[in-house]
Amino acid sequence: MRTAKKLRLGLCVCALVLLSSLAASCMDSGPRAELAETEEAPYAPYDPPIQMRIAYSYSDIQLPAGDLKDDNFLTRYVKDKTGISVKYEWEASGDEQYKSKLDLAIRSNDLPDVFIVNREQFRTLIEREMIQDLQQDYEAYASELVRSFYDATRGNALKEASVNDKLYGLPNVAIEADAPTYLWIRQDWLDKLNLSPPRSLDDLEKVAKAFMERDPDGNGKADTVGIPVDNLIVYADKTGVHGLNSVFSAHHAFPTSWIRDGNGEIAYGSVLPEAKNALARIASWYEEGIIDNDFVLRKDIYDIVELNRTGIVFGPWWSPFWPLSGAVAKDTKADWKVYAAPVDANGLFVTNGSPVTDRYLVVRKGYAHPEAAIKMLNFLTRIERNQDPNKDEVRKLHSITAQLGVQIRNYYPFDLLLDYPDAIEQRYDKLMLVLQGELDPEALDVETASIYQDIRMEKESPLKNMEAWSKSQAYLLGGEVSKLPKVKKESLFYGRTPTMEDKWAALQQLEHETYLKIITGELPIDAFDTFVSQWRQEGGDAITREVAEAVAGEK
């Protein structure tokens, strides 16, 4: 086995082509239209096979011996079932490099056939008329499964990807449970030190200090990190691991979000007084060493968790999949539990919301088979949702990924996940009914039944299969915490305004640098007021007016 690359939050795409070039030119008649009327149309393979040029984002995955980049066990399965030969137009190491390379490709008008874009790139491509309208292709080729996920958003997801009644991309669907950042903590360390699970910010501070000072791992070294922090500080549209979103929201602060202030006016959360209060608390934690003092420059933040050097992780419900599974694999005594914490002064767990979508699968204008993107999404969604009818072959794929220690999702040519907005809560409720003997397992849908089998496997043979451990912990513990009462603050605006085009990048850099300097003590907390004045003068006020107008226009 040799090391190749691991998909992190995949932003890359392949596609599947169904018809000849003649059929592609006939939107409403001929072979293409006739095939679209059949049940097989969403999954019908190409014969002869076609090639699809994609952009590929990676970081650290394992491939079996003999597999090469775009010729691996999964791409061969894709080609066998869909007639698509996936070829990498170019590769990028992770999200940042992918964005940089794609920005260059957009500027030079040298695009792959099918690719994933963020919100800003999506709007740029529409304005420059560089991507295909997929409305008719969606109507003809989208599978019932894919349609069901979009329909569950009450049309909001497809609306986000449409301009003037033209569908310019296939959006991901955000799972509502993904938005909150919860507190994952080593319960075995709490028990060893005779500590209660923290609820408030003060509780969290005390527990973090105890973990740092009282050697909970028993190695005789003062090497425990209190709270690991990503140098992004907070996540914006999409949550992640090690962000301080819940620390800010416990102060009723919502950086990077457009919300209503105490007077009911549209305001940017990063410049409101509540953010200053949160920064003061975080800066004091940094000064006391509770916040990882190397977080600004640290490159190995995830190693801290996998090497069990910390007992506190801020992350979403899915954190058992990553990074907690790595920690448990190295220390089977690690008992991670999750809490809706820290709470605010009134004892309420407050969290930010997330947009219904933030990424889009698009097709370059002029590509002969635009329906291919939709058909590939059908195919990958069917695998991801455990509804691929080729059970034995899919079982072999999972066997390979289990041996490699990586989820099958990491090998998809692109990662545009579709699910129901309340999927996690739905599955948790069904699983609990089965576990309590109130529902026959045979009544479960295919995907929930698969999760149930992993829960049984973990119960019968604890920690023998890390994928089973991850699923059981995520869907039971993460599912339970997702259903707890919470106060959710939704951002009112995710788009871009005219002034943002010229000013926003500089304002974001100013914000991030100021936050970092305040936290690390390079600037005093009152520097926040100077930052706010500068932000307003250098375009912030103009942008706020434009956002307010846009929000008013959406009513």
Side-chain angles (χ1 to χ4, degrees):
M1 184 184 298
R2 66 180 187 81
T3 299
K5 332 265 185 188
K6 172 186 173 192
L7 202 70
R8 184 183 174 191
L9 273 178
L11 288 174
C12 350
V13 181
C14 76
L16 159 65
V17 182
L18 172 63
L19 302 166
S20 66
S21 57
L22 173 61
S25 67
C26 303
M27 295 297 298
D28 300 307
S29 62
R32 179 174 171 185
E34 291 172 6
L35 183 55
E37 292 172 359
T38 72
E39 291 183 0
E40 292 79 13
Y43 299 104
Y46 273 91
D47 186 16
I50 60 93
Q51 186 178 104
M52 174 61 62
R53 299 179 304 119
I54 69 166
Y56 185 66
S57 177
Y58 66 86
S59 71
D60 301 329
I61 72 175
Q62 299 283 331
L63 288 176
D67 280 10
L68 301 169
K69 295 184 179 179
D70 52 17
D71 180 15
N72 62 62
F73 65 95
L74 189 64
T75 59
R76 289 192 294 271
Y77 181 68
V78 168
K79 183 177 180 180
D80 180 59
K81 300 302 179 185
T82 69
I84 295 292
S85 177
V86 176
K87 297 299 177 184
Y88 299 161
E89 179 76 356
W90 45 261
E91 300 175 57
S93 178
D95 297 347
E96 290 186 14
Q97 190 180 98
Y98 180 90
K99 180 181 182 301
S100 178
K101 283 194 170 187
L102 186 54
D103 285 342
L104 177 61
I106 293 172
R107 288 195 299 270
S108 60
N109 195 18
D110 185 17
L111 300 174
D113 295 326
V114 182
F115 50 104
I116 295 283
V117 297
N118 62 26
R119 190 183 303 274
E120 180 180 350
Q121 292 164 335
F122 184 61
R123 287 184 170 82
T124 298
L125 289 164
I126 294 173
E127 291 169 1
R128 298 181 184 180
E129 300 183 349
M130 297 173 70
I131 53 177
Q132 181 72 34
D133 172 17
L134 300 176
Q135 185 64 50
Q136 289 181 295
D137 294 292
Y138 177 81
E139 293 171 359
Y141 293 97
S143 68
E144 289 302 313
L145 181 62
V146 165
R147 291 175 191 269
S148 71
F149 295 134
Y150 287 136
D151 290 346
T153 70
R154 299 178 295 279
N156 290 327
L158 294 181
K159 181 181 177 182
E160 285 278 328
S162 301
V163 176
N164 297 328
D165 296 323
K166 293 183 178 181
L167 181 65
Y168 285 103
L170 301 173
N172 68 326
V173 174
I175 295 175
E176 292 173 354
D178 283 352
T181 299
Y182 298 110
L183 177 65
W184 291 87
I185 196 162
R186 288 277 300 257
Q187 185 66 43
D188 54 315
W189 286 7
L190 289 174
D191 294 343
K192 181 177 180 179
L193 301 182
N194 196 28
L195 298 170
S196 299
R199 276 186 49 77
S200 68
L201 291 162
D202 289 341
D203 294 340
L204 178 58
E205 180 177 324
K206 292 175 184 176
V207 168
K209 284 183 177 179
F211 282 2
M212 294 166 58
E213 297 169 356
R214 295 170 59 186
D215 193 25
D217 59 1
N219 69 353
K221 300 177 182 178
D223 61 350
T224 301
V225 174
I227 302 177
V229 176
D230 192 290
N231 60 20
L232 286 174
I233 306 174
V234 295
Y235 287 91
D237 288 0
K238 203 170 186 67
T239 193
V241 180
H242 302 310
L244 294 177
N245 296 59
S246 60
V247 176
F248 277 92
S249 59
H251 290 85
H252 292 199
F254 304 93
T256 75
S257 295
W258 290 96
I259 60 176
R260 293 194 183 276
D261 62 17
N263 298 318
E265 301 295 329
I266 296 294
Y268 185 54
S270 298
V271 300
L272 294 179
E274 292 83 356
K276 180 180 180 180
N277 296 335
L279 283 171
R281 163 83 70 160
I282 296 167
S284 72
W285 283 359
Y286 182 89
E287 185 177 9
E288 295 181 57
I290 295 171
I291 293 289
D292 174 22
N293 275 194
D294 295 324
F295 88 93
V296 176
L297 299 177
R298 186 181 289 280
K299 302 297 183 183
D300 61 345
I301 184 171
Y302 303 109
D303 289 345
I304 292 176
V305 180
E306 291 202 3
L307 296 176
N308 287 286
R309 291 186 55 210
T310 188
I312 295 173
V313 169
F314 282 118
W317 71 273
W318 47 256
S319 295
F321 287 106
W322 183 83
L324 300 185
S325 58
V328 175
K330 288 183 170 60
D331 180 3
T332 56
K333 298 186 300 296
D335 181 18
W336 290 92
K337 301 298 184 186
V338 63
Y339 298 94
V343 296
D344 69 2
N346 298 314
L348 301 174
F349 181 66
V350 184
T351 182
N352 53 285
S354 62
V356 66
T357 184
D358 63 353
R359 290 183 292 131
Y360 310 82
L361 173 62
V362 299
V363 179
R364 69 171 176 84
K365 201 164 190 177
Y367 180 59
H369 304 283
E371 79 285 352
I374 296 163
K375 291 170 63 66
M376 177 55 79
L377 183 61
N378 296 339
F379 182 76
L380 294 179
T381 301
R382 189 168 66 174
I383 296 177
E384 180 64 19
R385 301 275 75 94
N386 293 298
Q387 297 190 28
D388 191 317
N390 306 294
K391 303 296 185 184
D392 291 341
E393 291 170 276
V394 172
R395 195 174 294 114
K396 291 177 182 177
L397 297 179
H398 281 286
S399 177
I400 293 172
T401 59
Q403 293 176 30
L404 297 171
V406 183
Q407 296 181 71
I408 191 172
R409 179 186 305 169
N410 292 357
Y411 295 91
Y412 293 166
F414 68 88
D415 187 6
L416 191 86
L417 296 183
L418 299 183
D419 211 333
Y420 299 109
D422 62 345
I424 309 310
E425 294 88 344
Q426 281 189 37
R427 289 178 193 131
Y428 173 78
D429 288 342
K430 293 176 183 177
L431 290 167
M432 291 307 298
L433 288 174
V434 171
L435 293 171
Q436 293 165 2
E438 299 176 23
L439 179 67
D440 189 332
E442 295 297 323
L444 294 174
D445 61 88
V446 175
E447 180 158 12
T448 309
S450 174
I451 297 168
Y452 173 65
Q453 291 304 320
D454 281 318
I455 291 173
R456 287 187 58 191
M457 183 187 304
E458 173 60 20
K459 183 177 181 179
E460 294 168 1
S461 303
L463 301 173
K464 299 300 183 183
N465 181 303
M466 290 314 300
E467 183 171 357
W469 179 88
S470 299
K471 281 190 179 180
S472 65
Q473 301 305 295
Y475 280 99
L476 294 183
L477 300 184
E480 181 180 21
V481 77
S482 296
K483 289 180 65 67
L484 293 178
K486 58 181 67 69
V487 178
K488 184 176 289 188
K489 190 77 168 182
E490 301 286 354
S491 183
L492 301 174
F493 183 77
Y494 292 103
R496 290 183 72 81
T497 71
T499 304
M500 280 183 173
E501 298 297 333
D502 297 324
K503 305 287 188 179
W504 195 236
L507 289 176
Q508 286 185 306
Q509 182 176 355
L510 172 65
E511 174 186 336
H512 189 238
E513 289 178 353
T514 302
Y515 272 41
L516 284 177
K517 289 178 179 179
I518 289 175
I519 290 171
T520 59
E522 187 175 340
L523 289 176
I525 187 62
D526 287 339
F528 181 85
D529 302 325
T530 304
F531 150 68
V532 172
S533 296
Q534 185 178 352
W535 184 90
R536 296 182 60 184
Q537 293 170 7
E538 295 181 3
D541 276 352
I543 291 171
T544 301
R545 287 192 294 271
E546 292 170 348
V547 171
E549 291 172 1
V551 171
E554 292 175 357
K555 292 183 178 179

